[in-house]
Amino acid sequence: MTQNAKGKMDAHIFFHAHGDAFLLDADPDVRETLRTRLERYVIADDVEIEDVTEQFSVFHVLSSQKPNAANGVILSLRRFTEPGWDIWSDTANHDAVQQQLSPAFAFVDSDTVEVMRIEQGIPRWGRELTQEIIPIEANLEERTIDYEKGCYIGQEVISRIKMSGQTNKRLCGLISLEGVRLQPGMKLVAPSANQKDAGWITSAARSERLGKEIALGYVKRGFNNSGTKLNAFAPDETGAIPVEVVPLPFV
């Protein structure tokens, strides 16, 4: 993760030590800005930054045991709530690695991965993670923040939040109480006479495992306790959809 002086995120990054180099991967949307930011802080060290996006294929395997793949670099990484492994391979070896993994693992499509991500409450860049979000608000304390570390950009903001124990908003789970589909961008409103703005939905899906319409969203302080009832509105504000705030992960 990188953040600015206000403690807000610039990118969400996974680092891997590999020989005398570090492999970095992040959302494609930050491809150019991330390189510029990294180069800004290369001052006196002998460092070369190279974009190798087109050279690699990356598989992620959910397994407690290290998978077998002869044509790739295997790295331990927890991208979801379960232990997992990244397999970095040359793009030319993509099909060979897939064949090696096929006997032991089932491959899932991007839609299935998205549902699983939401069920597990994992924030994603461009949805839950943007340049307006402080990592603690996205429940990333354990994954991305070291409170024992020395000085770093944005530390003062992070330290103040830790001392106060409060954030203005928090990433929460939401369940549609009447089974109506939820959508990203829906506004959350307190169901009272004053109709206070309570937050917004960032991602939504139908969970077959739960048999419910679920969503992730940022809910403001005072409304984000588990069990709180809110109304969700589409941008045109036609019809309220009752929702309930629930703990993450869903499953």
Side-chain angles (χ1 to χ4, degrees):
M1 178 196 71
T2 66
Q3 60 187 35
N4 60 30
K6 296 182 180 180
K8 296 181 178 180
M9 301 184 66
D10 283 323
H12 188 225
I13 311 168
F14 292 97
F15 281 85
H16 311 277
H18 179 56
D20 59 355
F22 289 97
L23 299 175
L24 280 65
D25 76 272
D27 190 275
D29 287 348
V30 299
R31 182 174 180 177
E32 296 302 325
T33 57
L34 177 59
R35 178 169 186 157
T36 301
R37 182 170 176 79
L38 292 173
E39 289 175 341
R40 185 187 310 164
Y41 295 102
V42 175
I43 301 173
D45 298 311
D46 183 14
V47 176
E48 180 181 353
I49 298 174
E50 182 182 2
D51 186 343
V52 295
T53 303
E54 310 304 331
Q55 299 178 29
F56 285 99
S57 291
V58 180
F59 293 84
H60 184 72
V61 177
L62 290 173
S63 172
S64 58
Q65 301 296 319
K66 186 176 180 178
N68 293 318
N71 300 101
V73 177
I74 304 176
L75 304 160
S76 176
L77 185 66
R78 189 181 289 264
R79 290 185 183 270
F80 297 90
T81 57
E82 300 295 326
W85 305 83
D86 271 5
I87 303 174
W88 289 60
S89 70
D90 293 340
T91 52
N93 293 326
H94 175 277
D95 292 346
V97 173
Q98 185 168 341
Q99 289 176 3
Q100 291 167 14
L101 295 174
S102 294
F105 300 99
F107 287 83
V108 296
D109 59 28
S110 58
D111 290 340
T112 301
V113 172
E114 179 69 356
V115 173
M116 183 173 68
R117 177 189 74 82
I118 295 170
E119 289 176 335
Q120 296 184 4
I122 305 295
R124 173 183 173 184
W125 189 263
R127 293 291 186 90
E128 291 71 38
L129 304 179
T130 71
Q131 293 182 334
E132 296 302 316
I133 297 300
I134 297 172
I136 297 175
E137 296 174 334
N139 304 323
L140 289 176
E141 297 100 315
E142 293 185 6
R143 285 178 166 228
T144 64
I145 296 175
D146 182 354
Y147 289 112
E148 303 300 321
K149 190 182 185 312
C151 295
Y152 58 86
I153 298 172
Q155 182 185 33
E156 291 183 4
V157 175
I158 298 298
S159 296
R160 284 200 301 269
I161 293 176
K162 182 178 186 294
M163 293 294 293
S164 69
Q166 294 184 335
T167 59
N168 291 329
K169 56 186 176 294
R170 180 71 75 161
L171 183 63
C172 297
L174 299 158
I175 290 179
S176 175
L177 294 176
E178 297 178 356
V180 179
R181 183 182 177 187
L182 303 173
Q183 299 179 32
M186 282 184 163
K187 182 169 63 175
L188 299 173
V189 176
S192 57
N194 53 19
Q195 295 282 293
K196 285 189 176 181
D197 178 14
W200 67 96
I201 290 175
T202 54
S203 298
R206 168 74 183 178
S207 171
E208 296 300 336
R209 287 197 284 181
L210 296 174
K212 296 178 180 180
E213 298 289 339
I214 63 173
L216 299 177
Y218 283 102
V219 186
K220 295 183 178 180
R221 188 170 65 214
F223 303 102
N224 55 22
N225 291 326
S226 179
T228 300
K229 305 295 193 301
L230 300 170
N231 285 330
F233 288 90
D236 58 10
E237 298 192 10
T238 56
I241 301 173
V243 299
E244 180 179 346
V245 178
V246 298
L248 292 173
F250 290 97
V251 296

